[in-house]
Amino acid sequence: MLDKLKKHYKNSITTDLSQQHGFYWFLSDDSEPFGISKSAVSESELTLLRSMFNTYENDNLANTFSAQQLKWKSLLFDEKTTTEEGFYRFVHFFSKQPITDYASFSEAVNGLFPEDSVLLLNRDLKSGVIIETSKQEFSETPYEALKDMLSTDFYLDISIYIGCYNNQLHHAKETYDREQQQFLEVRNCLMPKSVYTVPDIVPYILLQTASPMADQTLTSLVEEWREEDEETLKSIKVFVECNLNVSLAAKQLYIHRNSLQYRVEKFYDKTGIDVKQLKNALTVYLAILLIEQKDLR
């Protein structure tokens, strides 16, 4: 459809987001913003276009960027180099729907994050980043509230991934690209939750790059056991995710702590693997994740 519009309007149509004045802006079926010169559109054509395409509120263009946004845009997308140092951490977000009301979206995000945070939306309008430039404790910034707010107020099905602490700005683009890519590669394997962190995705990255021998070894640890008692494997997974805390894991599983201890001991009796020891727990945990990944394929 967009190709047909380009043939019809020729030089009067643009995808250059810097041209905000004198254009009507819309979103294509592929969520690509495009503008048509107001002088080239009749009243009847405008009515037709608005019935066919979502309007794109073009408030997030370059000349509305703050100095900090322009600085980070240059670092991440324009490949500008710098020798500066300073703390930063990327909070990546990925939406299944395009974010078309940038002004309201920005206002909502800025209301939850510190004033020195920087918001940038990617060209696809379905992803972007919030850049924290001062160190915040995880509990002090309402990351889960951000997801809830975006789901409720903007009807967005969104995933949030919090990257690592960094200090060297000349590595910013490399870090940004790597973190985005690593999350997208494992996203379909992750269990649903409000916010993901690096420890959530590292096991899946390791499993994707595991050698055939490692794959076979991990699979053999739990494959036969799964057929015999899948409930115990699920319990052990939660037990590891709760930092080997029996009381917390039992609470999440809605069972008595003695029932969980019985399952852990039964697994040890049958396999010789004591998951109350950290290295054993991590090995079994990776094996369980691998089996779950195979089930999804």
Side-chain angles (χ1 to χ4, degrees):
M1 178 60 73
L2 188 55
D3 288 337
K4 292 181 179 179
L5 288 174
K6 287 179 178 177
K7 288 181 180 179
H8 178 73
Y9 287 107
K10 298 180 181 177
N11 294 333
S12 297
I13 190 170
T14 182
T15 56
D16 181 0
L17 289 173
S18 66
Q19 299 186 49
Q20 62 175 316
H21 297 297
F23 284 80
Y24 295 116
W25 281 88
F26 305 93
L27 279 174
S28 71
D29 294 336
D30 297 324
S31 299
E32 181 181 355
F34 66 92
I36 302 176
S37 175
K38 292 180 178 180
S39 62
V41 180
S42 67
E43 199 64 37
S44 59
E45 287 176 326
L46 180 60
T47 301
L48 179 61
L49 287 166
R50 284 176 173 168
S51 69
M52 295 175 61
F53 302 101
N54 289 325
T55 301
Y56 175 52
E57 299 297 334
N58 202 18
D59 294 329
N60 58 325
L61 303 177
N63 66 347
T64 66
F65 282 176
S66 67
Q68 279 289 84
Q69 284 177 306
L70 289 173
K71 169 189 171 182
W72 280 100
K73 180 179 178 295
S74 296
L75 287 172
L76 299 183
F77 307 124
D78 301 336
E79 300 187 6
K80 179 183 177 181
T81 59
T82 181
T83 57
E84 285 185 61
E85 292 189 2
F87 172 84
Y88 63 94
R89 178 169 67 173
F90 298 129
V91 180
H92 306 269
F93 56 88
F94 307 86
S95 173
K96 292 184 178 180
Q97 305 85 17
I99 301 167
T100 56
D101 187 354
Y102 178 83
S104 298
F105 181 82
S106 177
E107 182 180 355
V109 170
N110 292 336
L112 290 174
F113 281 78
E115 290 184 4
D116 57 358
S117 298
V118 178
L119 170 65
L120 292 176
L121 194 62
N122 290 333
R123 185 177 178 83
D124 64 2
L125 305 181
K126 292 184 178 181
S127 62
V129 64
I130 302 163
I131 307 160
E132 296 178 324
T133 57
S134 61
K135 187 174 291 188
Q136 307 293 318
E137 293 295 331
F138 190 87
S139 59
E140 292 179 356
T141 302
Y143 301 102
E144 294 189 4
L146 173 64
K147 178 177 174 63
D148 292 341
M149 178 269 295
L150 295 177
S151 300
T152 303
D153 295 351
F154 294 89
Y155 304 102
L156 295 175
D157 184 358
I158 204 161
S159 299
I160 298 172
Y161 171 49
I162 302 174
C164 295
Y165 290 142
N166 292 278
N167 286 291
Q168 296 180 322
L169 293 181
H170 65 275
H171 287 154
K173 178 174 173 54
E174 175 189 343
T175 301
Y176 174 79
D177 291 342
R178 183 183 69 250
E179 290 182 349
Q180 272 221 331
Q181 185 63 31
Q182 66 192 17
F183 180 80
L184 291 173
E185 285 184 1
V186 303
R187 178 170 57 176
N188 293 334
C189 303
L190 299 171
M191 294 294 105
K193 61 183 298 188
S194 297
V195 179
Y196 300 96
T197 61
V198 174
D200 291 320
I201 72 168
V202 164
Y204 295 96
I205 294 173
L206 292 175
L207 291 175
Q208 283 196 355
T209 57
S211 67
M213 181 180 293
D215 186 303
Q216 186 177 10
T217 300
L218 289 171
T219 301
S220 65
L221 287 177
V222 297
E223 191 168 43
E224 290 184 9
W225 178 267
R226 180 184 60 161
E227 297 175 0
E228 179 180 337
D229 190 352
E230 188 171 356
E231 195 64 36
T232 292
L233 282 187
K234 291 181 179 177
S235 299
I236 289 173
K237 180 185 178 186
V238 173
F239 176 55
V240 178
E241 290 175 340
C242 291
N243 301 316
L244 311 186
N245 184 314
V246 174
S247 297
L248 180 58
K251 184 176 180 180
Q252 289 198 13
L253 290 164
Y254 300 101
I255 61 175
H256 194 278
R257 67 191 313 274
N258 290 343
S259 298
L260 177 57
Q261 287 179 325
Y262 170 74
R263 293 176 185 180
V264 169
E265 290 168 3
K266 182 171 67 170
F267 185 79
Y268 173 67
D269 291 339
K270 293 287 185 71
T271 65
I273 302 174
D274 183 4
V275 293
K276 290 181 288 187
Q277 296 183 20
L278 181 60
K279 64 178 182 180
N280 294 342
L282 289 176
T283 301
V284 173
Y285 184 67
L286 287 173
I288 295 171
L289 294 182
L290 180 60
I291 289 292
E292 289 180 344
Q293 274 191 257
K294 290 182 177 181
D295 288 343
L296 291 173
R297 293 170 187 167

